[in-house]
Amino acid sequence: MSIDHTVIDAPASLPEPDAAMIEKLKTVAWFARRPRFWPHMAALTTQRLTGATRHEAQKEAAAAWAAARAVDIGRAFAALGIAEPTPRPLDPALIDDGERRAIRSGVRMGGPGDLDLIHRAILAIDASRVVETGVAYGWSSLAALAALRHTDGRLVSVDMPYPKMGNEAFVGIVVPDEWRTRWTLIREPDRNGIHRALAAFDGSVDLVHYDSDKTYTGRMYGYPLLWRALASGGLFISDDIQDNFGFRDFAARLGLNPAIVESGGKYVGLLRKP
Ligand SMILES: C[S@@+](CC[C@H](N)C(=O)[O-])C[C@H]1O[C@@H](n2cnc3c(N)ncnc32)[C@H](O)[C@@H]1O
């Protein structure tokens, strides 16, 4: 009998599949510690198993569809029958101040929505009950709260922090402390969080800003819930509609013509509830 004397060196780093598996296990452990996030995790798993992520292959076509329809904010409002006597853009000092806070936080999070659009929209329709999904640094929350100070309104936001990033403490960091009396932040995924946010307004809101789960399936979960709660004349705004055909299909299902605004290379979709 011969003995194999080959010495197998321990690998300096784990081969790729094992490293990926460890990351997956860490993600599972992250969700396992948060029971309120389990419905979101179940939905993610179903999406992977059923191949629902195929919708994301529509990105190029969805961007072309949005680009062909994009107009400026004023025209978008006019197309939706919103009269805006004097556009009131966001005070640039608020942005400077927020940027200082974001830099001091030392963490990296998702990019902002269209802040002027959010601010102008709330003032133009005199919205006082606003729900948003997706907070990250809180730029859209800042823009909404700046307007809600004039309409004496409130904002309820839903945000699930990025798994494993350790960003939790910094979500909404750009919002000044003294504005937080008008603000409720629900630190949960859309699944759960949207229901809680709408309940805070007894199920009826004036304006919605959607900027959280950008997958087709995620939109098809959140959009209808938010739309149903919108009061007549209320405004539905969704960020990043170029990612897939979720927004286009939702508008078609409602039989409504959306307005679309280009914003820093992305597209924002608007729908007004009849
Ligand atoms: C693009 S950022 C939001 C930016 C923010 N609206 C702004 O203008 O600063 C997206 C945020 O949504 C959160 N998010 C992603 N998927 C989510 C989900 N299913 N439920 C709740 N929040 C989610 C992300 O963790 C991130 O904080």
Side-chain angles (χ1 to χ4, degrees), residues 252-269:
R253 199 193 283 173
L254 295 172
L256 292 176
N257 248 341
I260 294 174
V261 170
E262 192 269 339
S263 176
K266 321 179 296 177
Y267 295 91
V268 184

Side-chain angles (χ1 to χ4, degrees), residues 112-136:
D114 188 318
L115 308 190
D116 265 336
L117 169 61
I118 296 164
H119 185 254
R120 283 172 59 177
I122 290 174
L123 293 174
I125 67 163
D126 196 28
S128 62
R129 301 165 300 173
V130 177
V131 163
E132 70 167 351
T133 70
V135 176

Side-chain angles (χ1 to χ4, degrees), residues 40 109-113 115 118 132-141 158-162 171 188-191 209 211-214 240:
H40 176 77
M109 289 190 267
L115 308 190
I118 296 164
E132 70 167 351
T133 70
V135 176
Y137 288 111
W139 291 111
S140 49
S141 321
V158 177
D159 187 271
M160 173 191 75
Y162 294 117
V171 169
E188 283 183 25
D190 291 348
R191 281 163 211 272
H209 183 252
D211 193 14
S212 50
D213 186 339
K214 308 293 173 61
D240 288 320

